[in-house]
Amino acid sequence: MIVAGNFKANMTRKSTAAYLEKLEQYITEKETTPQVMIFPPATALDSLKGKILVGAQNAYPAQNGAFTGETALEQLEEFGIDTILIGHSERRHVLGESQEAIAQKYAFYKEQGFTIVYCIGEPLEIREEGNDVLMAYLDAQLVGIDLSYEKLVIAYEPVWAIGTGLTPSNSDIELLHTALRHKIEKPLLYGGSVKVNNAAEIMALDNVDGVLVGGASLDVDGFFSMVEDAQKCDS
Ligand code: PEP
């Protein structure tokens, strides 16, 4: 199981360091087995890491250069970061990243050997058009993505479930993950309003290999409780 937390533009360098220290202590003391990943804001990427995989929420596909406002490989390497989130719905829909730009980013960080958590997910109007339209939409988000990459993790995150408190039914999550499993033999995370009170049931579903948690990851005690839920699925 994998339990990943996406802080988005929340937390500071100081609060991230305190969070990671506490989380690291929990997972060491309780000897938990799930892989824990945290994606803090770029300013906090130098925070403590041990068993926790700390990754970038975004980076430019270049070693360095004239890319104002961006973080590139050189800056990630300085902090030993080799994990990245690519294709998150907020980057696609709020920041306007095209599939072409996302695929370029993917190819670059794959070439660098990064662990990549690659996000896909549909808006509500697509889901309402039925399964064929939904699967075609998700397929379009996989264009240019090498699905055989050994360090790939997929996160299925319906756009309408992110930060809204809404989730698909458990059977819809299971159906979708099972359909994805037929094309992608990689760990499949579910994301979108995962909370302390629904994480265990979601992780118990077939073909769900973990969760990607946004808002609810900001509370370290709650996040750790989700790691413990994942542990039960591992055993
Ligand atoms: C996310 O940002 O990836 C996410 C799933 O957010 P939330 O858990 O807040 O819906």
Side-chain angles (χ1 to χ4, degrees):
M1 282 281 151
I2 297 172
V3 184
N6 172 19
F7 288 178
K8 315 188 187 203
N10 296 299
M11 308 274 271
T12 60
R13 183 165 176 256
K14 195 170 164 191
S15 62
T16 300
Y19 180 111
L20 290 178
E21 198 174 327
K22 192 166 177 185
L23 185 58
E24 184 77 29
Q25 201 180 328
Y26 275 149
I27 63 181
T28 305
E29 275 170 13
K30 299 264 175 106
E31 297 181 347
T32 52
T33 50
Q35 174 67 67
V36 174
M37 298 182 184
I38 295 290
F39 296 90
T43 54
L45 285 174
D46 65 337
S47 296
L48 170 145
K49 42 201 156 296
K51 294 190 176 67
I52 302 167
L53 263 190
V54 175
Q57 293 175 20
N58 175 50
Y60 198 81
Q63 176 71 28
N64 51 34
F67 308 109
T68 302
E70 294 287 325
T71 301
L73 177 63
E74 188 173 280
Q75 291 83 46
L76 299 184
E77 283 179 336
E78 182 181 14
F79 297 142
I81 301 295
D82 57 7
T83 303
I84 187 167
L85 198 61
I86 294 181
H88 190 276
S89 90
E90 285 148 16
R91 298 217 55 91
R92 291 179 189 270
H93 300 287
V94 181
L95 295 150
E97 271 185 23
S98 66
Q99 184 60 28
E100 199 187 350
I102 288 168
Q104 271 172 15
K105 203 171 276 190
Y106 183 89
F108 181 85
Y109 283 99
K110 177 193 135 189
E111 194 60 35
Q112 305 306 321
F114 273 50
T115 295
I116 300 177
V117 178
Y118 184 77
C119 305
I120 57 175
E122 81 292 350
L124 191 55
E125 62 272 20
I126 296 294
R127 177 166 279 255
E128 283 170 349
E129 286 192 48
N131 217 39
D132 289 350
V133 176
L134 166 53
M135 291 315 288
Y137 188 91
L138 298 181
D139 280 345
Q141 293 185 324
L142 296 171
V143 169
I145 304 302
D146 174 8
L147 297 177
S148 67
Y149 178 46
E150 56 183 2
K151 292 187 183 171
L152 168 62
V153 174
I154 296 281
Y156 168 63
E157 301 202 298
V159 179
W160 53 276
I162 296 182
T164 59
L166 302 171
T167 55
S169 67
N170 286 344
S171 62
D172 280 348
I173 295 174
E174 198 166 64
L175 275 173
L176 198 288
H177 275 241
T178 302
L180 288 174
R181 170 68 75 232
H182 289 133
K183 345 174 169 257
I184 312 172
E185 289 171 14
K186 298 291 166 189
L188 298 174
L189 312 186
Y190 169 78
S193 295
V194 175
K195 313 266 180 229
V196 170
N197 60 7
N198 63 8
E201 62 192 61
I202 291 173
M203 285 190 280
L205 299 172
D206 284 350
N207 295 312
V208 174
D209 303 309
V211 284
L212 174 55
V213 187
S217 70
L218 299 174
D219 168 41
V220 67
D221 297 315
F223 187 79
F224 184 66
S225 128
M226 296 187 239
V227 176
E228 288 188 305
D229 291 336
Q231 168 96 16
K232 288 179 198 135
C233 297
D234 271 349
S235 54

